[in-house]
Amino acid sequence: GTCGSKLYPQVDDEARSVALAGLAFAAFVAADLVICAAHGMLTLDHFVHHIAFLLAGCVIRGHCILPLNAAILLAMEASTPFLNFMLFFRNRGP
């Protein structure tokens, strides 16, 4: 099942939204990890960072724990695609 309770449908809707965001985030982190490894851009600190967030995303999604904290942490990771873009193009300019 999903997070939430049938007694409080608004909580169930919020929990489903956080669970979906957690799933999307975990999928992005997993894909980013594979792509960075395939193109030789994966460093040890990048690997550790991604593994930690991938495990956190799986725990949040799988056990429906701390939905508010999870939502805040996911919001903080909104800058990750922009960071990856900057790192990719940092040394590729004229």
Side-chain angles (χ1 to χ4, degrees):
T2 60
C3 305
S5 169
K6 298 300 179 198
L7 295 175
Y8 304 102
Q10 70 277 12
V11 172
D12 190 45
D13 290 340
E14 292 167 1
R16 286 175 189 255
S17 297
V18 171
L20 180 62
L23 180 62
F25 174 70
F28 169 78
V29 169
D32 190 50
L33 191 63
V34 170
I35 291 169
C36 287
H39 293 283
M41 299 186 314
L42 190 63
T43 60
L44 180 61
D45 57 341
H46 198 228
F47 176 76
V48 169
H49 170 84
H50 275 58
I51 291 297
F53 274 96
L54 185 60
L55 291 174
C58 291
V59 168
I60 290 165
R61 177 68 176 112
H63 298 289
C64 303
I65 60 167
L66 300 172
L68 176 62
N69 293 5
I72 292 168
L73 289 172
L74 290 173
M76 290 187 331
E77 280 294 312
S79 66
T80 299
F82 305 105
L83 174 65
N84 286 345
F85 183 83
M86 185 272 306
L87 291 173
F88 184 77
F89 287 105
R90 175 190 289 167
N91 298 319
R92 288 171 175 74

